[in-house]
Amino acid sequence: MPLQLNAATRIVFAGDSITDCDRAADAEHVGFGYVRLVRDWLRAGHPANAPVVINVGVSGNKVTDLAARWAADVIAHGPDVVSVMIGINDVWHGLMPHLQGVPVEQYIETYRQMLTELRAQRPACRLVLCEPSVISAPAARDGNERLAPYVRAVNDLAQDLLADAVVRLHDVFRRAEQVRPDIEWTIDGVHPTSSGHALLAKTWLDATDLS
């Protein structure tokens, strides 16, 4: 990197509930999580160059759901930067009897197709890929072990597609849980608390050299 931003830059954040963070209830439609924190930091740090931030996260999404709306919800915004965080539900849903996950091979293939389409239609668009964070207890006892191949897949895709930044969230969250178990980083082992969203935002800003 670093990303070069100005007031006309359009950053689209795509993902699941962690990105969504109740944006439908927010008058500004950016939600109440890390996307808002990133936007506000960029505004406070460089008001003249603060970009347009667009949140298109949808709660419950897996990579297959995101792929189905990719053209309409991401590419149609004419983004200059796209940040993607997807993968938690692809694993977590597979650990629940009434839901279905996405096998890692399908996850990789679908994710690659999305990014290839973006590269074809928006060749100058900068790409930020975020690792899925954690599936810790009480969400699932072996959730993080099941998540590990998906974390590796994001890093491999970032290398193959020449992403501009990789936001390495998985180890950051696991380390925070180990170092400060007295702090609640997630509500349920998956969805971040306010401290968790701050950790996510800081990691995103550091990875993109915008902190």
Side-chain angles (χ1 to χ4, degrees):
M1 236 138 193
L3 296 176
Q4 299 298 318
L5 305 180
N6 59 57
T9 302
R10 298 169 71 83
I11 305 180
V12 173
F13 286 85
D16 51 34
S17 58
I18 296 174
T19 299
D20 182 333
C21 208
D22 210 15
R23 64 185 174 91
D26 173 24
E28 296 180 288
H29 306 293
V30 295
F32 303 99
Y34 79 94
V35 176
R36 174 176 290 276
L37 294 174
V38 167
R39 185 205 65 173
D40 290 351
W41 177 267
L42 296 175
R43 285 180 171 182
H46 304 281
N49 292 322
V52 177
V53 169
I54 301 166
N55 184 346
V56 298
V58 173
S59 181
N61 264 197
K62 300 186 286 285
V63 73
T64 47
D65 302 305
L66 180 56
R69 60 187 184 87
W70 186 251
D73 282 6
V74 177
I75 296 175
H77 280 293
D80 302 293
V81 181
V82 169
S83 176
V84 185
M85 182 167 61
I86 199 78
I88 290 290
N89 293 322
D90 301 72
V91 177
W92 195 19
H93 286 189
L95 303 176
M96 301 179 188
H98 59 292
L99 295 174
Q100 186 174 0
V102 175
V104 70
E105 297 81 7
Q106 184 182 1
Y107 174 80
I108 293 168
E109 179 183 358
T110 306
Y111 208 152
R112 187 184 299 278
Q113 288 173 350
M114 290 192 312
L115 300 181
T116 301
E117 183 181 355
L118 177 65
R119 286 289 194 222
Q121 297 198 36
R122 299 286 298 176
C125 183
R126 311 295 291 273
L127 185 60
V128 179
L129 298 189
C130 305
E131 294 176 352
S133 51
V134 285
I135 305 177
S136 298
R141 187 175 301 175
D142 61 345
N144 286 315
E145 288 68 28
R146 300 283 191 94
L147 190 62
Y150 295 75
V151 173
R152 288 195 296 271
V154 169
N155 283 274
D156 291 343
L157 286 167
Q159 183 173 4
D160 292 348
L161 275 297
L162 302 177
D164 296 278
V166 182
V167 185
R168 294 187 168 88
L169 296 170
H170 186 63
D171 285 346
V172 166
F173 267 81
R174 297 207 72 184
R175 191 178 308 115
E177 289 174 339
Q178 292 165 4
V179 172
R180 289 301 302 272
D182 57 308
I183 295 175
E184 292 187 355
W185 299 103
T186 66
I187 298 166
D188 52 8
V190 171
H191 297 95
T193 59
S194 59
S195 296
H197 275 290
L199 180 62
L200 206 164
K202 180 183 185 303
T203 307
W204 194 96
L205 290 162
D206 287 346
T208 55
D209 289 337
L210 293 171
S211 58

